[in-house]
Amino acid sequence: MLKNKDSIEDGYALYHSVGHRPNGSQEMAAAVSDFSLMWTAPIPDVWPKALSMLEEFRQSFSMLLGPNASSEEIGLVDSVTSGFLRIIDGLGSDYLKGKSILIADDAFPSLHFLLQGMQKLLKFKIRRVAIRQGQYHVENSDYIKELKNEDVALALVTWVSSTTSAMVDLEAIATDAPKNCILVCDATQCIGVRKLDLPNRFDALLSTSLKWLCGTAGAGVIWVRKSRIELFEPKFRGWFSQENPMNWDIDNFHLATNSKRFENGTPNPLPYVAGLPGLNWVVQGGNILQEKHNSRMTGELIELLVENRINLVTPIEPNARGGSVMVNVGTIENAKRVIDDCARESVLIDNRGSILRFSPGILTKDFAIECFVSCILRNI
């Protein structure tokens, strides 16, 4: 039971999972309600209205990728895992057979599971970059060393780790990547709370409207640079993979000339409708507010953790970490005790094994920092 229900938002530090923002619940509810009223109205243009909302989402998301990104380069998928599947499926065995896909051991586990399932089907090898003994995240130098192997055809680059908040050096990876290697960035864990400067060498990006974009599950994106789109010929396709979705001639199928080719059957507008208010808030300046607030709070928290000799697994340097701070408390039992103790003080955190995750967002108040540290000291 929370000690003070009025302070739930003040102590909410789970932005690495679900992001919150000022008036977020009201605006999301209003967007979903308006959509429901439109969807159930006896009007002939329900689908054109719904599809225009999807186009608005594409346009807003493209603004996070810089002035050279286009909304036409963004395809809609239901998750990051689904987006990565579209990349692999689009390349196919003709491109991947006998070659390797590079992935770090601290990448999101779901993407590892996907590769393990697709490996035999498309006849590629999985080249994993290990975490050094005694450390918690993959070193940039170790990733780049493996990247230089001639058999690496595709490299998944996790911008920020979900279990340590360690941030990779995208520019260094882009500089050292072999010419024929396709670079894909998973930006999910940090986009919206740190500025993303995606080097031109990167070919694709995956993300979702969750976390710092203050959206909901089910609204994922796959961005592929226009100049690289012809490398991908998805087999998982449908009527919305076409240049003209209204084409009904089954003998005249043509893939869209942009990232819409990664879409397939009838689209699901609702997650994008629900996520659009949060995304718009981010691109209209919320990202700057989040970064400033989060950087100050995580910096102060790290100082306290170091001062109290708590086992910090997140890099100390600001330019080497994302918006979360993680600590290792030794055992899962210790982690659960700290989580319960924090909850009694209206501070909400979570864990991955023995690692506690604290991610302060725009609504998190300063008291949560001292509470988090005090609860750790009381329970380990």
Side-chain angles (χ1 to χ4, degrees):
M1 182 67 68
L2 291 170
K3 184 177 181 180
N4 182 356
K5 291 185 178 180
D6 294 333
S7 65
I8 291 176
E9 286 288 4
D10 295 350
Y12 184 81
L14 293 169
Y15 284 72
H16 57 261
S17 179
V18 178
H20 293 184
R21 64 184 180 87
N23 302 314
S25 59
Q26 298 93 324
E27 292 182 13
M28 182 183 287
V32 172
S33 176
D34 289 347
F35 177 81
S36 299
L37 291 173
M38 182 276 293
W39 190 257
T40 57
I43 56 177
D45 57 345
V46 167
W47 270 110
K49 289 179 182 294
L51 294 178
S52 71
M53 296 174 188
L54 296 182
E55 292 307 311
E56 185 179 352
F57 188 95
R58 293 182 212 269
Q59 185 63 46
S60 288
F61 194 92
S62 69
M63 295 173 67
L64 293 170
L65 304 181
N68 296 323
S70 163
S71 61
E72 291 186 349
E73 295 175 315
I74 291 175
L76 305 181
V77 293
D78 59 6
S79 68
V80 170
T81 306
S82 179
F84 195 35
L85 173 61
R86 304 299 207 284
I87 292 284
I88 298 168
D89 168 61
L91 292 172
S93 60
D94 288 346
Y95 193 94
L96 295 173
K97 184 178 180 180
K99 299 178 182 177
S100 293
I101 294 179
L102 184 67
I103 184 170
D105 275 0
D106 58 353
F108 193 58
S110 185
L111 303 178
H112 280 275
F113 302 151
L114 171 64
L115 289 180
Q116 292 163 15
M118 296 296 292
Q119 183 177 15
K120 288 185 179 180
L121 181 65
L122 296 181
K123 299 178 173 58
F124 60 80
K125 296 174 286 185
I126 302 172
R127 184 180 286 275
R128 291 169 47 180
V129 187
I131 300 170
R132 296 181 186 179
Q133 187 173 2
Q135 296 191 8
Y136 296 96
H137 62 84
V138 169
E139 293 288 338
N140 281 310
S141 58
D142 292 342
Y143 189 91
I144 291 172
K145 179 181 177 181
E146 293 296 328
L147 179 63
K148 291 180 177 180
N149 281 283
E150 292 183 358
D151 72 330
V152 176
L154 169 65
L156 177 73
V157 181
T158 303
W159 183 26
V160 169
S161 164
S162 64
T163 52
T164 65
S165 201
M167 178 183 288
V168 303
D169 186 340
L170 295 177
E171 195 63 53
I173 290 171
T175 299
D176 288 325
K179 182 179 179 180
N180 294 325
C181 176
I182 293 173
L183 290 184
V184 180
C185 176
D186 176 4
T188 310
Q189 203 64 34
C190 199
I191 194 166
V193 73
R194 295 291 184 273
K195 188 177 188 302
L196 174 63
D197 291 313
L198 191 67
N200 290 334
R201 176 61 184 81
F202 274 79
D203 304 295
L205 176 140
L206 304 168
S207 191
T208 173
S209 77
L210 279 169
K211 308 178 190 294
W212 306 100
L213 298 186
C214 305
T216 185
V221 300
I222 174 173
W223 171 86
V224 173
R225 197 176 296 280
K226 186 177 181 179
S227 61
R228 304 289 275 172
I229 194 66
E230 292 302 325
L231 286 172
F232 304 91
E233 188 174 340
K235 316 305 181 294
F236 182 24
R237 57 178 65 169
W239 65 313
F240 269 80
S241 310
Q242 301 180 100
E243 188 69 23
N244 173 22
M246 295 302 118
N247 168 51
W248 295 99
D249 183 353
I250 61 174
D251 296 314
N252 190 31
F253 177 89
H254 297 285
L255 283 169
T257 57
N258 52 40
S259 289
K260 290 182 180 179
R261 65 174 53 194
F262 295 107
E263 299 171 23
N264 40 70
T266 304
N268 178 11
L270 192 54
Y272 296 94
V273 169
L276 187 56
L279 177 59
N280 284 339
W281 175 79
V282 170
V283 300
Q284 291 166 10
N287 54 342
I288 298 172
L289 296 175
Q290 285 194 128
E291 180 168 8
K292 182 178 180 181
H293 183 71
N294 173 273
S295 295
R296 179 186 63 79
M297 289 193 72
T298 53
E300 291 176 3
L301 173 56
I302 285 174
E303 286 183 8
L304 274 177
L305 293 169
V306 171
E307 180 183 322
N308 285 278
R309 298 182 180 180
I310 294 171
N311 189 6
L312 179 68
V313 303
T314 298
I316 293 176
E317 300 80 8
N319 63 351
R321 54 181 164 84
S324 305
V325 176
M326 281 78 159
V327 300
N328 186 358
V329 291
T331 67
I332 295 177
E333 291 73 23
N334 285 346
K336 294 297 185 184
R337 283 199 298 271
V338 175
I339 290 170
D340 291 344
D341 201 3
C342 282
R344 285 189 285 270
E345 301 294 331
S346 302
V347 173
L348 303 183
I349 59 172
D350 70 4
N351 69 300
R352 287 293 179 266
S354 63
I355 293 177
L356 293 171
R357 306 194 297 177
F358 183 100
S359 304
I362 194 67
L363 299 177
T364 315
K365 298 296 190 294
D366 287 347
F367 87 93
I369 295 175
E370 291 190 6
C371 175
F372 178 54
V373 175
S374 296
C375 288
I376 292 173
L377 293 174
R378 282 200 298 265
N379 287 280
I380 64 171

